[in-house]
Short mmCIF file of all heavy atoms in Angstrom, two decimals:
data_model
loop_
_atom_site.label_atom_id
_atom_site.label_comp_id
_atom_site.label_asym_id
_atom_site.label_seq_id
_atom_site.Cartn_x
_atom_site.Cartn_y
_atom_site.Cartn_z
N MET I 1 68.20 141.04 118.42
CA MET I 1 68.71 141.39 119.80
C MET I 1 68.11 140.54 120.81
O MET I 1 66.88 140.27 120.93
CB MET I 1 68.29 142.84 120.02
CG MET I 1 68.81 143.41 121.39
SD MET I 1 70.51 144.24 121.01
CE MET I 1 70.80 144.85 122.62
N ALA I 2 69.00 139.84 121.55
CA ALA I 2 68.50 138.80 122.56
C ALA I 2 68.80 139.40 123.97
O ALA I 2 69.09 138.63 124.85
CB ALA I 2 69.21 137.46 122.37
N TRP I 3 68.56 140.49 124.20
CA TRP I 3 68.96 141.18 125.50
C TRP I 3 68.09 140.50 126.62
O TRP I 3 68.60 140.22 127.68
CB TRP I 3 68.73 142.66 125.35
CG TRP I 3 68.69 143.27 126.78
CD1 TRP I 3 67.61 144.03 127.23
CD2 TRP I 3 69.70 143.28 127.78
NE1 TRP I 3 67.94 144.45 128.64
CE2 TRP I 3 69.14 144.03 128.83
CE3 TRP I 3 71.00 142.78 127.90
CZ2 TRP I 3 69.89 144.17 130.06
CZ3 TRP I 3 71.70 142.92 129.09
CH2 TRP I 3 71.18 143.60 130.10
N PRO I 4 66.77 140.37 126.47
CA PRO I 4 65.99 139.86 127.51
C PRO I 4 66.55 138.50 127.93
O PRO I 4 66.40 138.16 129.01
CB PRO I 4 64.59 139.83 126.93
CG PRO I 4 64.56 140.87 125.88
CD PRO I 4 65.97 140.86 125.28
N PHE I 5 66.88 137.72 127.01
CA PHE I 5 67.45 136.41 127.20
C PHE I 5 68.72 136.41 128.02
O PHE I 5 68.80 135.78 129.10
CB PHE I 5 67.74 135.63 125.81
CG PHE I 5 68.35 134.33 126.07
CD1 PHE I 5 67.56 133.22 126.42
CD2 PHE I 5 69.70 134.23 125.77
CE1 PHE I 5 68.24 131.94 126.65
CE2 PHE I 5 70.33 133.00 125.91
CZ PHE I 5 69.58 131.88 126.30
N PHE I 6 69.63 137.24 127.72
CA PHE I 6 70.81 137.42 128.41
C PHE I 6 70.57 138.01 129.81
O PHE I 6 71.17 137.57 130.84
CB PHE I 6 71.91 138.14 127.79
CG PHE I 6 72.46 137.44 126.47
CD1 PHE I 6 72.15 137.82 125.20
CD2 PHE I 6 73.24 136.23 126.68
CE1 PHE I 6 72.69 137.11 124.14
CE2 PHE I 6 73.71 135.56 125.69
CZ PHE I 6 73.47 136.02 124.38
N ALA I 7 69.71 138.95 129.92
CA ALA I 7 69.32 139.56 131.16
C ALA I 7 68.85 138.65 132.19
O ALA I 7 69.07 138.67 133.25
CB ALA I 7 68.40 140.75 130.85
N ALA I 8 68.02 137.65 131.65
CA ALA I 8 67.45 136.69 132.44
C ALA I 8 68.54 135.78 133.08
O ALA I 8 68.51 135.44 134.29
CB ALA I 8 66.42 135.84 131.79
N ILE I 9 69.41 135.36 132.32
CA ILE I 9 70.41 134.52 132.73
C ILE I 9 71.51 135.20 133.68
O ILE I 9 71.78 134.76 134.82
CB ILE I 9 71.33 133.95 131.45
CG1 ILE I 9 70.37 133.02 130.68
CG2 ILE I 9 72.56 133.25 132.06
CD1 ILE I 9 71.13 132.47 129.46
N ILE I 10 71.87 136.33 133.31
CA ILE I 10 72.80 137.21 134.20
C ILE I 10 72.10 137.49 135.55
O ILE I 10 72.68 137.40 136.49
CB ILE I 10 73.27 138.52 133.42
CG1 ILE I 10 74.18 138.18 132.20
CG2 ILE I 10 74.00 139.38 134.39
CD1 ILE I 10 74.38 139.27 131.36
N GLY I 11 70.93 137.94 135.40
CA GLY I 11 70.09 138.21 136.68
C GLY I 11 70.05 137.00 137.55
O GLY I 11 70.12 137.21 138.77
N ALA I 12 69.76 135.88 136.98
CA ALA I 12 69.62 134.66 137.81
C ALA I 12 71.01 134.45 138.42
O ALA I 12 71.07 134.07 139.66
CB ALA I 12 69.17 133.52 136.96
N LEU I 13 72.04 134.59 137.72
CA LEU I 13 73.39 134.30 138.26
C LEU I 13 73.83 135.21 139.39
O LEU I 13 74.41 134.86 140.34
CB LEU I 13 74.50 134.41 137.17
CG LEU I 13 74.32 133.33 136.09
CD1 LEU I 13 75.40 133.64 134.98
CD2 LEU I 13 74.74 131.93 136.76
N LEU I 14 73.29 136.36 139.24
CA LEU I 14 73.70 137.48 140.30
C LEU I 14 72.69 137.65 141.39
O LEU I 14 72.84 138.32 142.28
CB LEU I 14 73.77 138.86 139.57
CG LEU I 14 74.90 138.95 138.46
CD1 LEU I 14 74.85 140.28 137.87
CD2 LEU I 14 76.20 138.69 139.12
N GLY I 15 71.60 136.80 141.31
CA GLY I 15 70.57 136.84 142.35
C GLY I 15 69.67 138.02 142.30
O GLY I 15 69.17 138.44 143.32
N LEU I 16 69.59 138.58 141.05
CA LEU I 16 68.74 139.87 141.00
C LEU I 16 67.37 139.49 140.37
O LEU I 16 66.70 140.52 140.20
CB LEU I 16 69.47 140.75 139.91
CG LEU I 16 70.82 141.20 140.37
CD1 LEU I 16 71.59 142.16 139.33
CD2 LEU I 16 70.83 141.97 141.76
N LYS I 17 67.07 138.24 140.19
CA LYS I 17 65.75 138.07 139.61
C LYS I 17 64.78 137.86 140.82
O LYS I 17 65.05 137.24 141.81
CB LYS I 17 65.82 136.73 138.87
CG LYS I 17 64.57 136.41 138.17
CD LYS I 17 64.73 135.26 137.18
CE LYS I 17 64.80 133.93 137.90
NZ LYS I 17 64.85 132.80 136.85
N ARG I 18 63.64 138.50 140.67
CA ARG I 18 62.60 138.47 141.68
C ARG I 18 61.28 137.98 141.08
O ARG I 18 60.98 138.40 139.97
CB ARG I 18 62.42 139.79 142.38
CG ARG I 18 63.58 140.23 143.19
CD ARG I 18 63.26 141.38 144.10
NE ARG I 18 64.43 142.18 144.34
CZ ARG I 18 64.44 143.36 144.97
NH1 ARG I 18 63.29 143.88 145.33
NH2 ARG I 18 65.46 144.00 145.25
N THR I 19 60.49 137.32 141.99
CA THR I 19 59.10 136.96 141.52
C THR I 19 58.18 137.86 142.30
O THR I 19 58.26 137.97 143.48
CB THR I 19 58.92 135.45 141.88
OG1 THR I 19 59.91 134.85 141.22
CG2 THR I 19 57.51 135.07 141.37
N CYS I 20 57.34 138.49 141.52
CA CYS I 20 56.32 139.30 142.09
C CYS I 20 55.35 138.60 142.95
O CYS I 20 54.83 137.51 142.54
CB CYS I 20 55.59 140.14 140.99
SG CYS I 20 54.24 141.07 141.69
N PRO I 21 55.13 139.01 144.20
CA PRO I 21 54.26 138.21 145.13
C PRO I 21 52.74 138.32 144.78
O PRO I 21 51.89 137.59 145.14
CB PRO I 21 54.51 138.88 146.52
CG PRO I 21 54.87 140.28 146.18
CD PRO I 21 55.69 140.13 144.91
N LYS I 22 52.48 139.33 143.90
CA LYS I 22 51.08 139.56 143.49
C LYS I 22 50.63 138.84 142.24
O LYS I 22 49.68 138.16 142.23
CB LYS I 22 50.87 141.03 143.37
CG LYS I 22 49.36 141.49 143.08
CD LYS I 22 49.17 142.86 143.14
CE LYS I 22 47.71 143.25 142.87
NZ LYS I 22 47.51 144.74 142.69
N CYS I 23 51.51 139.04 141.29
CA CYS I 23 51.25 138.51 139.93
C CYS I 23 51.99 137.26 139.54
O CYS I 23 51.82 136.61 138.64
CB CYS I 23 51.30 139.52 138.81
SG CYS I 23 52.86 140.05 138.36
N GLY I 24 53.14 137.07 140.31
CA GLY I 24 53.89 135.78 140.12
C GLY I 24 54.83 135.92 138.95
O GLY I 24 55.52 134.90 138.62
N ARG I 25 55.04 137.09 138.33
CA ARG I 25 55.92 137.10 137.17
C ARG I 25 57.28 137.48 137.58
O ARG I 25 57.55 138.24 138.56
CB ARG I 25 55.28 138.16 136.11
CG ARG I 25 53.92 137.74 135.68
CD ARG I 25 53.33 138.86 134.82
NE ARG I 25 53.83 138.65 133.48
CZ ARG I 25 53.20 139.24 132.34
NH1 ARG I 25 52.13 140.04 132.62
NH2 ARG I 25 53.67 139.03 131.26
N GLU I 26 58.30 137.01 136.87
CA GLU I 26 59.64 137.16 137.14
C GLU I 26 60.16 138.36 136.44
O GLU I 26 59.81 138.63 135.26
CB GLU I 26 60.46 135.93 136.86
CG GLU I 26 60.11 134.79 137.78
CD GLU I 26 61.04 133.62 137.41
OE1 GLU I 26 61.56 133.51 136.35
OE2 GLU I 26 61.18 132.72 138.42
N GLN I 27 61.06 139.06 137.02
CA GLN I 27 61.71 140.21 136.37
C GLN I 27 63.03 140.42 137.00
O GLN I 27 63.27 140.08 138.16
CB GLN I 27 60.92 141.39 136.56
CG GLN I 27 60.47 141.90 137.95
CD GLN I 27 59.25 142.75 137.93
OE1 GLN I 27 59.39 143.95 137.49
NE2 GLN I 27 58.22 142.28 138.39
N ILE I 28 63.84 141.14 136.22
CA ILE I 28 65.20 141.40 136.80
C ILE I 28 65.35 142.76 137.32
O ILE I 28 64.77 143.77 136.93
CB ILE I 28 66.14 141.38 135.51
CG1 ILE I 28 66.04 140.10 134.81
CG2 ILE I 28 67.57 141.60 135.99
CD1 ILE I 28 66.46 138.94 135.67
N VAL I 29 66.03 142.79 138.56
CA VAL I 29 66.07 144.05 139.24
C VAL I 29 67.53 144.54 139.06
O VAL I 29 68.54 143.85 139.13
CB VAL I 29 65.98 143.71 140.74
CG1 VAL I 29 66.23 145.05 141.59
CG2 VAL I 29 64.54 143.22 141.10
N PRO I 30 67.73 145.82 138.72
CA PRO I 30 68.98 146.35 138.53
C PRO I 30 69.91 146.30 139.73
O PRO I 30 69.39 146.23 140.88
CB PRO I 30 68.70 147.94 138.30
CG PRO I 30 67.31 147.95 137.85
CD PRO I 30 66.58 146.83 138.43
N GLY I 31 71.19 146.06 139.51
CA GLY I 31 72.09 145.86 140.69
C GLY I 31 72.11 146.93 141.78
O GLY I 31 72.22 146.72 142.93
N SER I 32 71.81 148.16 141.27
CA SER I 32 71.76 149.31 142.18
C SER I 32 70.52 149.24 143.06
O SER I 32 70.47 149.95 144.07
CB SER I 32 71.76 150.58 141.34
OG SER I 32 70.61 150.68 140.44
N GLN I 33 69.51 148.48 142.64
CA GLN I 33 68.30 148.33 143.46
C GLN I 33 68.18 147.03 144.13
O GLN I 33 67.18 146.50 144.64
CB GLN I 33 67.11 148.58 142.57
CG GLN I 33 67.04 149.94 141.99
CD GLN I 33 65.87 150.19 141.09
OE1 GLN I 33 64.97 149.43 141.03
NE2 GLN I 33 65.88 151.20 140.38
N LYS I 34 69.34 146.35 144.38
CA LYS I 34 69.41 144.91 144.89
C LYS I 34 68.77 144.91 146.17
O LYS I 34 68.21 143.85 146.69
CB LYS I 34 70.76 144.43 144.78
CG LYS I 34 70.91 142.95 145.20
CD LYS I 34 72.31 142.52 145.02
CE LYS I 34 72.49 141.08 145.33
NZ LYS I 34 73.85 140.63 145.14
N HIS I 35 69.05 145.88 147.04
CA HIS I 35 68.62 145.89 148.41
C HIS I 35 67.41 146.74 148.67
O HIS I 35 66.98 147.12 149.83
CB HIS I 35 69.74 146.35 149.31
CG HIS I 35 70.99 145.60 149.20
ND1 HIS I 35 71.08 144.24 149.56
CD2 HIS I 35 72.09 145.93 148.68
CE1 HIS I 35 72.22 143.79 149.36
NE2 HIS I 35 72.96 144.71 148.63
N LEU I 36 66.75 147.26 147.60
CA LEU I 36 65.52 148.08 147.73
C LEU I 36 64.34 147.37 147.17
O LEU I 36 64.47 146.36 146.42
CB LEU I 36 65.81 149.34 146.90
CG LEU I 36 66.99 150.24 147.27
CD1 LEU I 36 67.26 151.31 146.33
CD2 LEU I 36 66.94 150.70 148.75
N ALA I 37 63.20 147.81 147.61
CA ALA I 37 61.99 147.23 147.04
C ALA I 37 61.85 147.91 145.59
O ALA I 37 62.16 149.05 145.40
CB ALA I 37 60.81 147.80 147.87
N VAL I 38 61.41 147.08 144.81
CA VAL I 38 61.25 147.55 143.41
C VAL I 38 59.74 147.31 143.07
O VAL I 38 59.11 146.63 143.50
CB VAL I 38 62.08 146.81 142.37
CG1 VAL I 38 63.50 147.11 142.75
CG2 VAL I 38 61.78 145.36 142.41
N ARG I 39 59.33 148.19 142.03
CA ARG I 39 58.01 148.03 141.65
C ARG I 39 57.86 147.11 140.41
O ARG I 39 58.60 147.07 139.52
CB ARG I 39 57.48 149.49 141.14
CG ARG I 39 55.96 149.47 140.67
CD ARG I 39 55.44 150.82 140.80
NE ARG I 39 55.34 151.27 142.28
CZ ARG I 39 55.01 152.47 142.70
NH1 ARG I 39 54.65 153.35 141.79
NH2 ARG I 39 54.95 152.75 143.94
N CYS I 40 56.97 146.21 140.49
CA CYS I 40 56.61 145.28 139.48
C CYS I 40 56.24 146.06 138.23
O CYS I 40 55.32 146.92 138.29
CB CYS I 40 55.58 144.26 139.88
SG CYS I 40 55.08 143.29 138.60
N LYS I 41 56.95 145.78 137.07
CA LYS I 41 56.63 146.45 135.90
C LYS I 41 55.39 145.84 135.21
O LYS I 41 54.93 146.42 134.22
CB LYS I 41 57.80 146.37 134.96
CG LYS I 41 58.23 145.05 134.48
CD LYS I 41 59.45 145.02 133.76
CE LYS I 41 59.82 143.60 133.35
NZ LYS I 41 61.11 143.54 132.54
N PHE I 42 54.89 144.81 135.70
CA PHE I 42 53.64 144.29 135.20
C PHE I 42 52.35 144.74 135.86
O PHE I 42 51.36 144.97 135.14
CB PHE I 42 53.73 142.78 135.19
CG PHE I 42 55.00 142.23 134.39
CD1 PHE I 42 56.01 141.67 135.15
CD2 PHE I 42 54.94 142.19 133.07
CE1 PHE I 42 57.09 141.21 134.41
CE2 PHE I 42 56.01 141.63 132.34
CZ PHE I 42 57.16 141.20 133.15
N CYS I 43 52.39 144.69 137.21
CA CYS I 43 51.20 145.01 137.84
C CYS I 43 51.34 146.17 138.87
O CYS I 43 50.32 146.67 139.40
CB CYS I 43 50.63 143.81 138.72
SG CYS I 43 51.75 143.30 140.17
N GLY I 44 52.63 146.74 139.02
CA GLY I 44 52.77 147.87 139.88
C GLY I 44 52.97 147.57 141.35
O GLY I 44 53.08 148.50 142.12
N GLU I 45 52.93 146.29 141.74
CA GLU I 45 53.05 145.98 143.12
C GLU I 45 54.52 146.14 143.57
O GLU I 45 55.39 145.90 142.77
CB GLU I 45 52.76 144.56 143.33
CG GLU I 45 52.69 144.06 144.76
CD GLU I 45 51.52 144.56 145.51
OE1 GLU I 45 50.66 145.16 145.02
OE2 GLU I 45 51.41 144.10 146.71
N ASP I 46 54.70 146.68 144.84
CA ASP I 46 56.15 146.66 145.34
C ASP I 46 56.68 145.23 145.59
O ASP I 46 55.98 144.50 146.32
CB ASP I 46 56.14 147.54 146.55
CG ASP I 46 56.13 149.02 146.24
OD1 ASP I 46 56.44 149.34 145.07
OD2 ASP I 46 55.73 149.81 147.06
N ILE I 47 57.77 144.93 145.21
CA ILE I 47 58.43 143.64 145.40
C ILE I 47 59.59 143.97 146.45
O ILE I 47 60.59 144.66 146.13
CB ILE I 47 58.98 143.01 144.20
CG1 ILE I 47 57.84 142.96 143.08
CG2 ILE I 47 59.48 141.67 144.55
CD1 ILE I 47 58.44 142.47 141.79
N PRO I 48 59.51 143.32 147.70
CA PRO I 48 60.55 143.61 148.66
C PRO I 48 61.75 142.78 148.26
O PRO I 48 61.71 141.89 147.49
CB PRO I 48 59.95 143.06 150.02
CG PRO I 48 58.93 142.06 149.50
CD PRO I 48 58.36 142.52 148.23
N PRO I 49 62.94 143.31 148.81
CA PRO I 49 64.15 142.60 148.42
C PRO I 49 64.13 141.14 149.13
O PRO I 49 63.43 141.01 150.14
CB PRO I 49 65.28 143.43 149.13
CG PRO I 49 64.53 144.22 150.15
CD PRO I 49 63.29 144.48 149.61
N ARG I 50 64.82 140.24 148.51
CA ARG I 50 64.82 138.98 148.92
C ARG I 50 65.60 138.79 150.29
O ARG I 50 66.64 139.32 150.47
CB ARG I 50 65.56 138.01 147.94
CG ARG I 50 65.46 136.53 148.26
CD ARG I 50 66.01 135.71 147.15
NE ARG I 50 65.26 135.94 145.86
CZ ARG I 50 65.60 135.30 144.74
NH1 ARG I 50 66.52 134.33 144.74
NH2 ARG I 50 64.89 135.57 143.74
N ARG I 51 65.01 138.15 151.22
CA ARG I 51 65.61 137.98 152.59
C ARG I 51 66.37 136.68 152.65
O ARG I 51 65.85 135.62 152.13
CB ARG I 51 64.57 138.14 153.76
CG ARG I 51 63.99 139.46 153.76
CD ARG I 51 62.89 139.49 154.80
NE ARG I 51 62.15 140.71 154.81
CZ ARG I 51 61.12 140.88 155.59
NH1 ARG I 51 60.69 139.98 156.44
NH2 ARG I 51 60.42 142.06 155.49
N ARG I 52 67.42 136.68 153.46
CA ARG I 52 68.12 135.42 153.67
C ARG I 52 68.48 135.23 155.24
O ARG I 52 68.68 136.17 155.76
CB ARG I 52 69.47 135.35 152.92
CG ARG I 52 69.13 135.23 151.39
CD ARG I 52 70.40 135.04 150.64
NE ARG I 52 70.24 134.96 149.21
CZ ARG I 52 69.83 133.78 148.55
NH1 ARG I 52 69.72 132.72 149.16
NH2 ARG I 52 69.67 133.92 147.30
ZN1 ZN E 1 53.43 141.91 139.71
#
């Protein structure tokens, strides 16, 4: 099962990938939470939505 691999690619294409400001690790945000702050699954820090 290569789900994490595909998730990373799809997430990058959709702009759903975020980098945690605290620990610097990348993770995919569900589309439903695209405009919301999400909690880093590695360190628990809140990651704000990307601003443009
Ligand atoms: Zn983190």
Side-chain angles (χ1 to χ4, degrees):
M1 188 87 175
W3 165 243
F5 175 75
F6 288 113
I9 292 179
I10 294 172
L13 289 174
L14 296 179
L16 299 177
K17 188 167 72 174
R18 287 192 209 174
T19 302
C20 175
K22 185 175 180 180
C23 70
R25 300 175 83 164
E26 293 182 336
Q27 58 201 289
I28 303 302
V29 177
S32 60
Q33 298 179 9
K34 187 176 181 180
H35 303 293
L36 302 174
V38 295
R39 181 156 296 175
C40 176
K41 62 184 176 184
F42 301 105
C43 70
E45 184 78 358
D46 284 337
I47 308 174
R50 187 177 300 183
R51 296 178 185 173
R52 291 190 183 273

